[in-house]
CSV table of all heavy atoms in Angstrom, one decimal:
chain,number,residue,atom,x,y,z
A,11,VAL,N,-33.5,1.4,-37.9
A,11,VAL,CA,-32.3,0.6,-37.8
A,11,VAL,C,-32.0,0.2,-36.4
A,11,VAL,O,-31.7,-1.0,-36.1
A,11,VAL,CB,-31.0,1.4,-38.3
A,11,VAL,CG1,-29.7,0.7,-37.9
A,11,VAL,CG2,-31.1,1.5,-39.8
A,12,VAL,N,-32.2,1.0,-35.4
A,12,VAL,CA,-32.0,0.7,-34.0
A,12,VAL,C,-33.1,-0.3,-33.6
A,12,VAL,O,-32.7,-1.3,-32.9
A,12,VAL,CB,-32.2,2.0,-33.2
A,12,VAL,CG1,-32.2,1.6,-31.6
A,12,VAL,CG2,-31.1,3.0,-33.4
A,13,LEU,N,-34.4,-0.1,-33.9
A,13,LEU,CA,-35.4,-1.1,-33.5
A,13,LEU,C,-35.2,-2.4,-34.2
A,13,LEU,O,-35.5,-3.5,-33.6
A,13,LEU,CB,-36.8,-0.5,-33.9
A,13,LEU,CG,-37.2,0.7,-33.0
A,13,LEU,CD1,-38.5,1.4,-33.4
A,13,LEU,CD2,-37.3,0.3,-31.5
A,14,VAL,N,-34.8,-2.4,-35.5
A,14,VAL,CA,-34.6,-3.7,-36.2
A,14,VAL,C,-33.5,-4.5,-35.6
A,14,VAL,O,-33.6,-5.7,-35.3
A,14,VAL,CB,-34.3,-3.3,-37.7
A,14,VAL,CG1,-33.7,-4.6,-38.4
A,14,VAL,CG2,-35.5,-2.9,-38.4
A,15,SER,N,-32.3,-3.8,-35.2
A,15,SER,CA,-31.3,-4.5,-34.6
A,15,SER,C,-31.7,-5.1,-33.2
A,15,SER,O,-31.3,-6.3,-32.9
A,15,SER,CB,-30.1,-3.5,-34.4
A,15,SER,OG,-29.6,-3.0,-35.6
A,16,CYS,N,-32.4,-4.2,-32.4
A,16,CYS,CA,-32.9,-4.8,-31.2
A,16,CYS,C,-33.8,-5.9,-31.3
A,16,CYS,O,-33.8,-6.9,-30.5
A,16,CYS,CB,-33.5,-3.6,-30.4
A,16,CYS,SG,-32.2,-2.3,-29.8
A,17,SER,N,-34.7,-5.8,-32.3
A,17,SER,CA,-35.7,-6.9,-32.5
A,17,SER,C,-35.0,-8.2,-32.9
A,17,SER,O,-35.3,-9.3,-32.4
A,17,SER,CB,-36.7,-6.5,-33.5
A,17,SER,OG,-37.4,-5.3,-33.2
A,18,ILE,N,-34.0,-8.1,-33.8
A,18,ILE,CA,-33.2,-9.2,-34.2
A,18,ILE,C,-32.5,-9.9,-33.0
A,18,ILE,O,-32.5,-11.1,-32.8
A,18,ILE,CB,-32.2,-8.9,-35.3
A,18,ILE,CG1,-33.0,-8.5,-36.6
A,18,ILE,CG2,-31.3,-10.1,-35.6
A,18,ILE,CD1,-32.0,-8.1,-37.7
A,19,LEU,N,-31.9,-9.0,-32.2
A,19,LEU,CA,-31.2,-9.6,-30.9
A,19,LEU,C,-32.3,-10.3,-30.0
A,19,LEU,O,-31.9,-11.3,-29.4
A,19,LEU,CB,-30.6,-8.4,-30.1
A,19,LEU,CG,-29.2,-8.1,-30.5
A,19,LEU,CD1,-28.7,-6.8,-29.7
A,19,LEU,CD2,-28.2,-9.2,-30.3
A,20,ALA,N,-33.4,-9.7,-29.9
A,20,ALA,CA,-34.4,-10.3,-29.0
A,20,ALA,C,-34.9,-11.7,-29.6
A,20,ALA,O,-35.0,-12.6,-28.8
A,20,ALA,CB,-35.6,-9.4,-28.9
A,21,VAL,N,-35.1,-11.7,-30.9
A,21,VAL,CA,-35.5,-13.0,-31.5
A,21,VAL,C,-34.4,-14.1,-31.3
A,21,VAL,O,-34.7,-15.2,-30.9
A,21,VAL,CB,-35.8,-12.8,-33.0
A,21,VAL,CG1,-36.0,-14.1,-33.7
A,21,VAL,CG2,-37.1,-12.0,-33.2
A,22,TRP,N,-33.2,-13.7,-31.4
A,22,TRP,CA,-32.1,-14.6,-31.3
A,22,TRP,C,-31.9,-15.1,-29.9
A,22,TRP,O,-31.7,-16.3,-29.7
A,22,TRP,CB,-30.8,-13.9,-31.8
A,22,TRP,CG,-29.5,-14.7,-31.8
A,22,TRP,CD1,-28.4,-14.6,-31.0
A,22,TRP,CD2,-29.4,-15.9,-32.6
A,22,TRP,NE1,-27.5,-15.6,-31.4
A,22,TRP,CE2,-28.1,-16.4,-32.4
A,22,TRP,CE3,-30.2,-16.5,-33.6
A,22,TRP,CZ2,-27.5,-17.5,-33.0
A,22,TRP,CZ3,-29.6,-17.6,-34.3
A,22,TRP,CH2,-28.3,-18.1,-33.9
A,23,LYS,N,-32.1,-14.2,-28.9
A,23,LYS,CA,-31.9,-14.6,-27.5
A,23,LYS,C,-33.1,-15.5,-27.1
A,23,LYS,O,-32.8,-16.5,-26.4
A,23,LYS,CB,-31.9,-13.3,-26.7
A,23,LYS,CG,-30.5,-12.6,-26.8
A,23,LYS,CD,-30.6,-11.3,-25.9
A,23,LYS,CE,-29.3,-10.5,-26.1
A,23,LYS,NZ,-29.2,-9.3,-25.3
A,24,VAL,N,-34.3,-15.1,-27.4
A,24,VAL,CA,-35.4,-16.0,-27.0
A,24,VAL,C,-35.3,-17.4,-27.7
A,24,VAL,O,-35.5,-18.4,-27.0
A,24,VAL,CB,-36.7,-15.3,-27.5
A,24,VAL,CG1,-37.9,-16.3,-27.3
A,24,VAL,CG2,-37.0,-14.1,-26.7
A,25,THR,N,-34.8,-17.4,-29.0
A,25,THR,CA,-34.7,-18.7,-29.7
A,25,THR,C,-33.5,-19.5,-29.1
A,25,THR,O,-33.7,-20.7,-28.8
A,25,THR,CB,-34.4,-18.4,-31.1
A,25,THR,OG1,-35.4,-17.6,-31.8
A,25,THR,CG2,-34.4,-19.7,-31.9
A,26,GLN,N,-32.4,-18.9,-28.8
A,26,GLN,CA,-31.3,-19.6,-28.3
A,26,GLN,C,-31.5,-20.1,-26.8
A,26,GLN,O,-31.1,-21.2,-26.5
A,26,GLN,CB,-30.1,-18.7,-28.2
A,26,GLN,CG,-29.5,-18.4,-29.6
A,26,GLN,CD,-28.8,-19.7,-30.2
A,26,GLN,OE1,-29.5,-20.4,-31.1
A,26,GLN,NE2,-27.7,-20.0,-29.8
A,27,PHE,N,-32.1,-19.2,-26.1
A,27,PHE,CA,-32.5,-19.7,-24.6
A,27,PHE,C,-33.5,-20.9,-24.7
A,27,PHE,O,-33.6,-21.7,-23.8
A,27,PHE,CB,-33.0,-18.6,-23.8
A,27,PHE,CG,-32.0,-17.7,-23.3
A,27,PHE,CD1,-30.7,-17.7,-23.8
A,27,PHE,CD2,-32.3,-16.8,-22.2
A,27,PHE,CE1,-29.7,-16.9,-23.3
A,27,PHE,CE2,-31.3,-15.9,-21.8
A,27,PHE,CZ,-30.0,-15.9,-22.3
A,28,ARG,N,-34.3,-21.0,-25.7
A,28,ARG,CA,-35.3,-22.0,-25.8
A,28,ARG,C,-34.6,-23.3,-26.4
A,28,ARG,O,-34.8,-24.4,-25.9
A,28,ARG,CB,-36.5,-21.6,-26.7
A,28,ARG,CG,-37.5,-22.6,-27.0
A,28,ARG,CD,-38.4,-22.8,-25.9
A,28,ARG,NE,-39.2,-23.9,-26.0
A,28,ARG,CZ,-40.3,-24.2,-25.3
A,28,ARG,NH1,-40.6,-23.4,-24.2
A,28,ARG,NH2,-41.1,-25.3,-25.4
A,29,VAL,N,-33.8,-23.2,-27.5
A,29,VAL,CA,-33.3,-24.3,-28.2
A,29,VAL,C,-32.0,-24.8,-27.4
A,29,VAL,O,-32.0,-26.0,-27.2
A,29,VAL,CB,-32.9,-23.8,-29.6
A,29,VAL,CG1,-32.1,-25.0,-30.4
A,29,VAL,CG2,-34.1,-23.5,-30.4
A,30,ARG,N,-31.2,-23.9,-27.0
A,30,ARG,CA,-30.0,-24.4,-26.3
A,30,ARG,C,-30.2,-24.1,-24.8
A,30,ARG,O,-29.5,-23.3,-24.2
A,30,ARG,CB,-28.8,-23.7,-26.8
A,30,ARG,CG,-28.6,-23.8,-28.3
A,30,ARG,CD,-27.3,-23.1,-28.8
A,30,ARG,NE,-26.1,-23.7,-28.2
A,30,ARG,CZ,-24.9,-23.2,-28.6
A,30,ARG,NH1,-24.7,-22.2,-29.4
A,30,ARG,NH2,-23.9,-23.9,-28.0
A,31,ARG,N,-31.1,-24.8,-24.3
A,31,ARG,CA,-31.5,-24.5,-22.8
A,31,ARG,C,-30.8,-25.5,-21.8
A,31,ARG,O,-31.0,-25.2,-20.6
A,31,ARG,CB,-33.0,-24.7,-22.7
A,31,ARG,CG,-33.5,-26.2,-23.1
A,31,ARG,CD,-35.0,-26.2,-22.9
A,31,ARG,NE,-35.5,-27.6,-23.2
A,31,ARG,CZ,-36.0,-27.9,-24.4
A,31,ARG,NH1,-36.1,-27.1,-25.3
A,31,ARG,NH2,-36.4,-29.2,-24.6
A,32,GLU,N,-30.0,-26.4,-22.3
A,32,GLU,CA,-29.4,-27.4,-21.4
A,32,GLU,C,-28.6,-26.7,-20.3
A,32,GLU,O,-28.6,-27.1,-19.2
A,32,GLU,CB,-28.7,-28.4,-22.2
A,32,GLU,CG,-29.5,-29.4,-23.0
A,32,GLU,CD,-29.9,-28.8,-24.3
A,32,GLU,OE1,-29.3,-27.7,-24.6
A,32,GLU,OE2,-30.7,-29.4,-25.0
A,33,GLY,N,-27.7,-25.7,-20.7
A,33,GLY,CA,-26.9,-25.1,-19.8
A,33,GLY,C,-27.5,-24.3,-18.8
A,33,GLY,O,-27.2,-24.3,-17.6
A,34,LEU,N,-28.6,-23.5,-19.2
A,34,LEU,CA,-29.4,-22.8,-18.2
A,34,LEU,C,-30.2,-23.7,-17.4
A,34,LEU,O,-30.3,-23.4,-16.2
A,34,LEU,CB,-30.3,-21.9,-19.0
A,34,LEU,CG,-29.7,-20.7,-19.7
A,34,LEU,CD1,-30.8,-19.9,-20.5
A,34,LEU,CD2,-29.2,-19.7,-18.7
A,35,VAL,N,-30.8,-24.7,-17.9
A,35,VAL,CA,-31.5,-25.6,-17.0
A,35,VAL,C,-30.6,-26.3,-16.0
A,35,VAL,O,-31.0,-26.3,-14.8
A,35,VAL,CB,-32.2,-26.8,-17.9
A,35,VAL,CG1,-32.8,-27.8,-17.0
A,35,VAL,CG2,-33.3,-26.1,-18.8
A,36,SER,N,-29.4,-26.7,-16.4
A,36,SER,CA,-28.5,-27.4,-15.4
A,36,SER,C,-28.1,-26.4,-14.3
A,36,SER,O,-28.1,-26.7,-13.1
A,36,SER,CB,-27.3,-27.8,-16.1
A,36,SER,OG,-27.6,-28.8,-17.1
A,37,ASN,N,-27.8,-25.1,-14.7
A,37,ASN,CA,-27.5,-24.1,-13.7
A,37,ASN,C,-28.5,-23.7,-12.7
A,37,ASN,O,-28.3,-23.6,-11.6
A,37,ASN,CB,-26.9,-22.8,-14.4
A,37,ASN,CG,-25.5,-22.9,-14.8
A,37,ASN,OD1,-24.6,-22.5,-14.0
A,37,ASN,ND2,-25.2,-23.5,-15.9
A,38,PHE,N,-29.8,-23.6,-13.3
A,38,PHE,CA,-30.9,-23.3,-12.4
A,38,PHE,C,-31.3,-24.5,-11.5
A,38,PHE,O,-31.6,-24.2,-10.3
A,38,PHE,CB,-32.1,-22.8,-13.3
A,38,PHE,CG,-32.1,-21.4,-13.6
A,38,PHE,CD1,-31.4,-20.9,-14.7
A,38,PHE,CD2,-32.8,-20.5,-12.7
A,38,PHE,CE1,-31.4,-19.5,-15.0
A,38,PHE,CE2,-32.8,-19.2,-13.0
A,38,PHE,CZ,-32.2,-18.6,-14.1
A,39,GLN,N,-31.2,-25.7,-12.0
A,39,GLN,CA,-31.5,-26.8,-11.1
A,39,GLN,C,-30.4,-26.9,-10.0
A,39,GLN,O,-30.8,-27.2,-8.8
A,39,GLN,CB,-31.6,-28.1,-12.0
A,39,GLN,CG,-32.8,-28.2,-12.8
A,39,GLN,CD,-32.8,-29.4,-13.7
A,39,GLN,OE1,-31.7,-30.1,-13.9
A,39,GLN,NE2,-33.9,-29.7,-14.3
A,40,SER,N,-29.2,-26.7,-10.4
A,40,SER,CA,-28.1,-26.7,-9.4
A,40,SER,C,-28.4,-25.6,-8.3
A,40,SER,O,-28.0,-25.7,-7.2
A,40,SER,CB,-26.8,-26.4,-10.1
A,40,SER,OG,-25.7,-26.5,-9.1
A,41,ALA,N,-28.8,-24.4,-8.7
A,41,ALA,CA,-29.1,-23.3,-7.9
A,41,ALA,C,-30.2,-23.6,-6.8
A,41,ALA,O,-30.1,-23.4,-5.7
A,41,ALA,CB,-29.5,-22.1,-8.7
A,42,VAL,N,-31.3,-24.3,-7.3
A,42,VAL,CA,-32.3,-24.7,-6.5
A,42,VAL,C,-31.9,-25.7,-5.4
A,42,VAL,O,-32.2,-25.6,-4.2
A,42,VAL,CB,-33.5,-25.4,-7.2
A,42,VAL,CG1,-34.6,-26.0,-6.3
A,42,VAL,CG2,-34.1,-24.3,-8.2
A,43,LYS,N,-31.0,-26.6,-5.8
A,43,LYS,CA,-30.3,-27.6,-4.9
A,43,LYS,C,-29.5,-26.9,-3.9
A,43,LYS,O,-29.4,-27.3,-2.7
A,43,LYS,CB,-29.6,-28.6,-5.8
A,43,LYS,CG,-29.0,-29.7,-4.9
A,43,LYS,CD,-28.1,-30.7,-5.8
A,43,LYS,CE,-27.6,-31.8,-4.9
A,43,LYS,NZ,-26.8,-32.8,-5.8
A,44,ASP,N,-28.8,-25.9,-4.3
A,44,ASP,CA,-27.9,-25.1,-3.4
A,44,ASP,C,-28.7,-24.5,-2.3
A,44,ASP,O,-28.3,-24.5,-1.1
A,44,ASP,CB,-27.1,-24.1,-4.1
A,44,ASP,CG,-26.1,-24.7,-5.1
A,44,ASP,OD1,-25.7,-25.8,-5.0
A,44,ASP,OD2,-25.7,-24.0,-6.1
A,45,TYR,N,-29.8,-23.9,-2.7
A,45,TYR,CA,-30.6,-23.3,-1.6
A,45,TYR,C,-31.2,-24.3,-0.7
A,45,TYR,O,-31.4,-24.0,0.5
A,45,TYR,CB,-31.8,-22.4,-2.3
A,45,TYR,CG,-31.3,-21.1,-2.8
A,45,TYR,CD1,-31.0,-20.8,-4.1
A,45,TYR,CD2,-31.2,-20.0,-1.8
A,45,TYR,CE1,-30.5,-19.7,-4.5
A,45,TYR,CE2,-30.8,-18.8,-2.2
A,45,TYR,CZ,-30.5,-18.6,-3.6
A,45,TYR,OH,-30.1,-17.3,-4.0
A,46,LYS,N,-31.6,-25.5,-1.2
A,46,LYS,CA,-32.2,-26.5,-0.3
A,46,LYS,C,-31.1,-27.1,0.6
A,46,LYS,O,-31.5,-27.5,1.7
A,46,LYS,CB,-32.8,-27.6,-1.2
A,46,LYS,CG,-34.0,-27.2,-1.9
A,46,LYS,CD,-34.5,-28.4,-2.7
A,46,LYS,CE,-35.8,-28.1,-3.5
A,46,LYS,NZ,-36.4,-29.2,-4.3
A,47,GLU,N,-29.9,-27.1,0.2
A,47,GLU,CA,-28.8,-27.7,1.0
A,47,GLU,C,-28.1,-26.6,1.8
A,47,GLU,O,-27.1,-26.9,2.5
A,47,GLU,CB,-27.8,-28.4,0.1
A,47,GLU,CG,-28.4,-29.6,-0.6
A,47,GLU,CD,-27.4,-30.3,-1.4
A,47,GLU,OE1,-26.3,-29.6,-1.7
A,47,GLU,OE2,-27.7,-31.3,-2.0
A,48,LEU,N,-28.6,-25.5,2.0
A,48,LEU,CA,-28.0,-24.4,2.7
A,48,LEU,C,-28.0,-24.7,4.2
A,48,LEU,O,-29.1,-25.1,4.7
A,48,LEU,CB,-28.8,-23.1,2.5
A,48,LEU,CG,-28.1,-21.8,2.9
A,48,LEU,CD1,-26.9,-21.6,2.2
A,48,LEU,CD2,-29.1,-20.6,2.6
A,49,ASP,N,-26.8,-24.7,4.8
A,49,ASP,CA,-26.7,-25.2,6.2
A,49,ASP,C,-26.0,-24.2,7.2
A,49,ASP,O,-25.7,-24.7,8.3
A,49,ASP,CB,-25.9,-26.5,6.2
A,49,ASP,CG,-24.5,-26.4,5.5
A,49,ASP,OD1,-24.2,-25.3,5.1
A,49,ASP,OD2,-23.9,-27.4,5.4
A,50,SER,N,-25.7,-23.1,6.8
A,50,SER,CA,-25.1,-22.1,7.7
A,50,SER,C,-25.5,-20.7,7.4
A,50,SER,O,-25.8,-20.4,6.2
A,50,SER,CB,-23.6,-22.2,7.7
A,50,SER,OG,-23.1,-21.8,6.5
A,51,GLU,N,-25.4,-19.8,8.4
A,51,GLU,CA,-25.8,-18.4,8.2
A,51,GLU,C,-24.8,-17.7,7.4
A,51,GLU,O,-25.1,-16.8,6.7
A,51,GLU,CB,-26.0,-17.8,9.6
A,51,GLU,CG,-26.6,-16.4,9.5
A,51,GLU,CD,-28.0,-16.4,9.0
A,51,GLU,OE1,-28.7,-17.4,9.2
A,51,GLU,OE2,-28.4,-15.3,8.4
A,52,GLU,N,-23.5,-18.2,7.4
A,52,GLU,CA,-22.5,-17.5,6.7
A,52,GLU,C,-22.7,-17.7,5.2
A,52,GLU,O,-22.6,-16.8,4.4
A,52,GLU,CB,-21.1,-18.0,7.1
A,52,GLU,CG,-20.0,-17.3,6.6
A,52,GLU,CD,-18.7,-17.7,7.3
A,52,GLU,OE1,-18.6,-18.8,7.8
A,52,GLU,OE2,-17.7,-16.9,7.2
A,53,LYS,N,-23.0,-18.9,4.8
A,53,LYS,CA,-23.3,-19.2,3.4
A,53,LYS,C,-24.5,-18.5,2.9
A,53,LYS,O,-24.7,-18.0,1.9
A,53,LYS,CB,-23.5,-20.7,3.2
A,53,LYS,CG,-22.2,-21.5,3.5
A,53,LYS,CD,-22.5,-23.0,3.2
A,53,LYS,CE,-21.2,-23.8,3.5
A,53,LYS,NZ,-21.5,-25.3,3.2
A,54,ARG,N,-25.6,-18.4,3.8
A,54,ARG,CA,-26.7,-17.7,3.5
A,54,ARG,C,-26.6,-16.3,3.2
A,54,ARG,O,-27.1,-15.7,2.3
A,54,ARG,CB,-27.8,-17.9,4.6
A,54,ARG,CG,-29.1,-17.1,4.3
A,54,ARG,CD,-30.1,-17.4,5.5
A,54,ARG,NE,-31.4,-16.7,5.2
A,54,ARG,CZ,-31.6,-15.5,5.6
A,54,ARG,NH1,-30.7,-14.8,6.4
A,54,ARG,NH2,-32.8,-14.8,5.4
A,55,THR,N,-25.7,-15.6,3.9
A,55,THR,CA,-25.3,-14.2,3.7
A,55,THR,C,-24.7,-14.0,2.4
A,55,THR,O,-25.0,-13.1,1.7
A,55,THR,CB,-24.4,-13.7,4.9
A,55,THR,OG1,-25.1,-13.9,6.1
A,55,THR,CG2,-24.0,-12.3,4.7
A,56,ILE,N,-23.8,-15.0,2.0
A,56,ILE,CA,-23.1,-14.8,0.8
A,56,ILE,C,-24.1,-15.0,-0.4
A,56,ILE,O,-24.1,-14.2,-1.3
A,56,ILE,CB,-22.0,-15.9,0.7
A,56,ILE,CG1,-20.8,-15.5,1.6
A,56,ILE,CG2,-21.4,-15.9,-0.8
A,56,ILE,CD1,-19.8,-16.6,1.7
């Protein structure tokens, strides 16, 4: 029962992250842009 539940969760997460990827893609692309536009040591520390 434990392994079946964890397997179903894993299938659901992999499928959702693949099918509904727009939100993750937008956030990761924004993160890359944030690192490229880093302009102060204070922001870098945060």
Side-chain angles (χ1 to χ4, degrees):
V11 168
V12 173
L13 290 175
V14 165
S15 300
C16 293
S17 299
I18 292 174
L19 271 176
V21 171
W22 184 245
K23 288 179 182 179
V24 171
T25 304
Q26 288 293 100
F27 279 16
R28 176 79 190 189
V29 175
R30 305 181 64 178
R31 59 180 182 265
E32 291 81 10
L34 286 175
V35 171
S36 299
N37 274 269
F38 272 87
Q39 289 177 345
S40 177
V42 173
K43 184 179 179 181
D44 293 336
Y45 277 102
K46 290 181 178 179
E47 296 177 352
L48 197 59
D49 57 1
S50 71
E51 189 65 27
E52 193 172 14
K53 294 180 181 179
R54 178 177 179 268
T55 302
I56 294 174

